[in-house]
Structures are given as C-alpha cells and as structure tokens.
Amino acid sequence: MVKVNDNYLKLPGSYLFSTIGKKVAAFSAANPDKKIIRLGIGDVTQPLAPAIIDALHSAVDEMADAATFKGYAPDLGYEFLRSAIAKNDYADRGCDIAADEIFVSDGAKCDSSNIQEIFSLDNKIAVCDPVYPVYVDSNVMAGRTGTWDPATETWSDVIYMQCTAENNFAPELPKETPDLIYLCFPNNPTGSTITKDQLQVWVDYANRVGAVIIYDAAYEAYISEENVPHTIYECDGARTCAIELRSFSKNAGFTGVRLGFTVVPKELKAGDTYLHGLWARRHGTKYNGAPYIVQKAGEAVYSPEGKAQLKEQVAYYMKNAAVIYEGLKSAGYTVSGGVNAPYIWLKTPDGMSSWEFFDYLLEKGNVVGTPGSGFGPSGEGYFRLTAFGSYENTVEAIERMKKL
C-alpha cells in the first residue's frame, strides 16, 4: 500500500499566508460593501518597468521566428543573464563571483526551500526567530527538525536565534553549534539590518565551526544606509562558507513573472565535498530552467534604463514605508524597520496577541497585515505591514489605523 511522507503530517496548520487569505476571503464574503486594503503579503503592485516590458516584447517576437526561437534553457541559465548578474551584483561591488557560480531559477522561495536537499538529514539548522516560514517548513518536510512542541511553538531539533527589541532584531551567535545557518538581511519580517562588520562576525564563525550560511538577500535593493552589505560576499571568507539567494520579485516587480538565482562558490565545501557540483546536479535533474522570455526581461533589469526605472520604483515603495513608519509612530505605536526594507514591524497595542490584532484591524479598520507570531514564537505581540501597496491605499490604511 502506498504511504505518504509522514513529515508533511507534522506541519502545524496551513501555510501562514494561506491562513490569512482564508480569513480575508471569509470577511469579504460577509462584508461585501467594505473596502479592504491589503498590506499583508509582500506582493508588489506597480507595473513592470518600461525597459522590462520592451525586453519581454522583443523576446516574444524572437520566439515567433524559427531563426531565433529558443527551447530548453541551459542548466545554469543563459550566459547573457548570468554575466549581467556577475558584473552588476558582484564585480561592481568588488566581489569575486563568476558567472558559472550563478544558478538561475524561478525565484528565491523555491531555492530557499530546495537548497536543503543537498545536505544530510542529520544537519542541525539555526534560524532567526521570527523567521520567513519557508526556511523551517521545508526542513520539516525533509525530516530534519525533530518534534513539534505546541506549547512553545518550536521544533526540538531547530536552533532558534531570538531577534527582539533588546538586540535590535538581529541574531546573536548561538550557544549550540549549528550546521546550517539561515540569515536574511534586510530582514523579512522585521525589516532589520546588520552592518558589514556584524555580518563578518557570522562569516568568521561559520568558517571556524564548519557551518554553511544560507544567506537570503532578496531585499538588498532597498538598502539606503552606507554600512549595510548588499551581499554576503562583501565579507572576507564568505566564498568558503556561504550560499546566497537572490530574487527579482521585489527589486523588479517579478512576483508574477518569476525569476531568481542562487550563488554557490566553487570552493565551498561540506567536509571533502564541493557543494557547487551537488547543486548543479540537483538543478539539472529537477529543473528545466526559467523561460528565455523571462531571462531576457531579467537582463533588462541591468540595462541603464532598467536601473533608472527600478530605482524610481524602489523609491515609490520606500515612500510608502515612510508613510507607514511615521504615521504609526505619531499615533503612538512602537515601530521599527522601513529604512532599508519595505517592511514595518510594530508592537501590537494594548497587550493584544498578534492574531487578535489581525482580527481587530481587519474588522475595525478593514486593513490586512501579517501576525508576527506566524513567523515564530518571538514574533508574538508584533505585526508586519508591507510597503508594497499603492501610495493612495497606504495613506488611507494608516489614516484608518490612526482612528482606531
């Protein structure tokens, strides 16, 4: 008789954003006259930049001509895109990353979930708390996290690195030695960042204990302060301890287009095994590559026109972030984030739990956010708002919250 993967049965409840979607759908059905403003899921709202649209149209035309038609993409991605990434995201920042160390994919969410497949099940993971749920859930599915404790909402074999107001929502080196360390900066959900010197401490630590850092840099385009690193490879020694995940979703609006990449340096090893070859094998076996049309759109991100247009788009969202941050702060909320990231992290008022505040904000203000507890136990009592809505809706949402 066929059997299921029992690890899936260990997952508590549904995926965070699925739960939010169901709650909002139920409220909308019961209150069809209410205008709901969604500042919960980090989905962009501005249209694709003109340079990207032009590239998409041009690539579609190529697919209509036998002379320029493209079938399967190369395993790692097209050379034109990998070279553009290597130059603009790494060489121009003084980082030694070659084009053939870049693996193009359909997004960082898939890569952050799949990367654990090349590691042994007896590796222990360390995650920030609160944390992007995919890091933990994908390891649950693999059978790496032990047992679930509903009282503490933690897994027995996961090292939780608390990120609280006391440490400026940045993790401290764990007392127990991990094998895999998940870091995300600028951080989702808290919007916090660390300096290059602080990140160097993590790189030195990983090299010292033989750990690998999975570094999610999906929000690097939103960095505005000088001493905040855009890539972990700005740190000395990162090539021997770090894998970096990147996305085109938030910097270029590709949430519906789908494009990302993962960097695995060739000298990165686990024991005596080089990880570059393992990820290449996994990539080639399980993935057929992002579409040519989409990769051409990705190349346009690095064109002079694309860079200028996307700089304006990022500024648009960060203007929203300032509206949220300043508006809530003036209303007496305790807030952080919103400077180097499109997320604002706020303390729930009047001792409400995260989900109590979610329900209150939805019912009384018709505004949707994300309960902090959905990101881990240290997120309880906090709430995340995103800056990815339209400016008009963002202003209206904050005015509604001020009146509650």
Side-chain angles (χ1 to χ4, degrees), residues 134-155:
V134 172
Y135 307 154
V136 176
D137 287 358
S138 59
N139 279 282
V140 174
M141 293 171 179
R144 193 178 283 111
T145 56
T147 57
W148 171 252
D149 183 346
T152 60
E153 297 188 337
T154 59
W155 294 93

Side-chain angles (χ1 to χ4, degrees), residues 114-195:
N114 294 330
I115 194 68
Q116 52 77 30
E117 288 187 20
I118 66 174
F119 297 99
S120 169
L121 289 181
D122 60 5
N123 282 314
K124 179 157 282 193
I125 70 167
V127 298
C128 295
D129 174 29
V131 67
Y132 181 47
V134 172
Y135 307 154
V136 176
D137 287 358
S138 59
N139 279 282
V140 174
M141 293 171 179
R144 193 178 283 111
T145 56
T147 57
W148 171 252
D149 183 346
T152 60
E153 297 188 337
T154 59
W155 294 93
S156 62
D157 292 345
V158 174
I159 299 170
Y160 292 89
M161 303 180 294
Q162 290 188 330
C163 300
T164 64
E166 287 68 33
N167 60 12
N168 293 316
F169 302 106
E172 298 169 358
L173 296 178
K175 294 181 175 62
E176 184 180 358
T177 304
D179 301 299
L180 296 173
I181 303 168
Y182 287 81
L183 296 178
C184 173
F185 290 105
N187 185 258
N188 176 18
T190 66
S192 64
T193 55
I194 57 176
T195 65

Side-chain angles (χ1 to χ4, degrees), residues 70-267:
K70 300 293 189 299
Y72 288 125
D75 280 357
L76 273 65
Y78 283 99
E79 175 67 28
F80 62 77
L81 177 57
R82 289 187 290 118
S83 292
I85 292 168
K87 178 187 184 301
N88 290 275
D89 287 330
Y90 297 103
D92 287 356
R93 294 194 178 279
C95 303
D96 180 23
I97 296 296
D100 62 359
E101 294 175 314
I102 295 165
F103 297 78
V104 176
S105 71
D106 60 358
K109 181 178 182 179
C110 290
D111 285 352
S112 66
S113 174
N114 294 330
I115 194 68
Q116 52 77 30
E117 288 187 20
I118 66 174
F119 297 99
S120 169
L121 289 181
D122 60 5
N123 282 314
K124 179 157 282 193
I125 70 167
V127 298
C128 295
D129 174 29
V131 67
Y132 181 47
V134 172
Y135 307 154
V136 176
D137 287 358
S138 59
N139 279 282
V140 174
M141 293 171 179
R144 193 178 283 111
T145 56
T147 57
W148 171 252
D149 183 346
T152 60
E153 297 188 337
T154 59
W155 294 93
S156 62
D157 292 345
V158 174
I159 299 170
Y160 292 89
M161 303 180 294
Q162 290 188 330
C163 300
T164 64
E166 287 68 33
N167 60 12
N168 293 316
F169 302 106
E172 298 169 358
L173 296 178
K175 294 181 175 62
E176 184 180 358
T177 304
D179 301 299
L180 296 173
I181 303 168
Y182 287 81
L183 296 178
C184 173
F185 290 105
N187 185 258
N188 176 18
T190 66
S192 64
T193 55
I194 57 176
T195 65
K196 181 179 177 180
D197 288 343
Q198 287 176 303
L199 185 55
Q200 185 68 57
V201 170
W202 282 97
V203 169
D204 293 342
Y205 171 78
N207 278 318
R208 186 169 66 251
V209 303
V212 170
I213 297 172
I214 311 297
Y215 193 76
D216 187 343
Y219 299 94
E220 65 80 27
Y222 292 84
I223 294 171
S224 62
E225 295 179 321
E226 286 295 323
N227 198 30
V228 178
H230 287 254
T231 167
I232 196 169
Y233 301 115
E234 292 179 35
C235 296
D236 295 335
R239 285 183 57 87
T240 56
C241 72
I243 293 171
E244 183 162 283
L245 312 174
R246 289 286 193 100
S247 171
F248 287 76
S249 288
K250 305 309 194 300
N251 66 326
F254 277 35
T255 53
V257 177
R258 306 309 306 152
L259 190 66
F261 62 89
T262 290
V263 178
V264 185
K266 288 182 179 177
E267 58 257 52

Side-chain angles (χ1 to χ4, degrees), residues 203-362:
V203 169
D204 293 342
Y205 171 78
N207 278 318
R208 186 169 66 251
V209 303
V212 170
I213 297 172
I214 311 297
Y215 193 76
D216 187 343
Y219 299 94
E220 65 80 27
Y222 292 84
I223 294 171
S224 62
E225 295 179 321
E226 286 295 323
N227 198 30
V228 178
H230 287 254
T231 167
I232 196 169
Y233 301 115
E234 292 179 35
C235 296
D236 295 335
R239 285 183 57 87
T240 56
C241 72
I243 293 171
E244 183 162 283
L245 312 174
R246 289 286 193 100
S247 171
F248 287 76
S249 288
K250 305 309 194 300
N251 66 326
F254 277 35
T255 53
V257 177
R258 306 309 306 152
L259 190 66
F261 62 89
T262 290
V263 178
V264 185
K266 288 182 179 177
E267 58 257 52
L268 177 59
K269 295 196 294 185
D272 295 326
T273 303
Y274 289 98
L275 297 180
H276 182 276
L278 290 187
W279 186 240
R281 186 68 170 87
R282 192 265 172 207
H283 212 64
T285 300
K286 291 193 171 186
Y287 185 61
N288 267 335
Y292 171 75
I293 294 168
V294 173
Q295 293 196 47
K296 288 298 288 185
E299 183 186 29
V301 167
Y302 299 104
S303 68
E305 298 82 6
K307 287 180 179 179
Q309 291 162 10
L310 294 179
K311 186 176 180 180
E312 291 180 3
Q313 200 165 87
V314 167
Y316 178 94
Y317 291 130
M318 291 310 290
K319 181 180 179 182
N320 288 349
V323 167
I324 299 170
Y325 183 95
E326 296 299 337
L328 294 182
K329 188 176 180 181
S330 69
Y333 286 88
T334 300
V335 292
S336 59
V339 177
N340 296 293
Y343 295 121
I344 288 78
W345 191 241
L346 62 111
K347 192 170 181 59
T348 57
D350 303 323
M352 289 186 192
S353 73
S354 296
W355 279 107
E356 285 172 345
F357 186 64
F358 174 90
D359 291 335
Y360 175 76
L361 190 58
L362 177 60

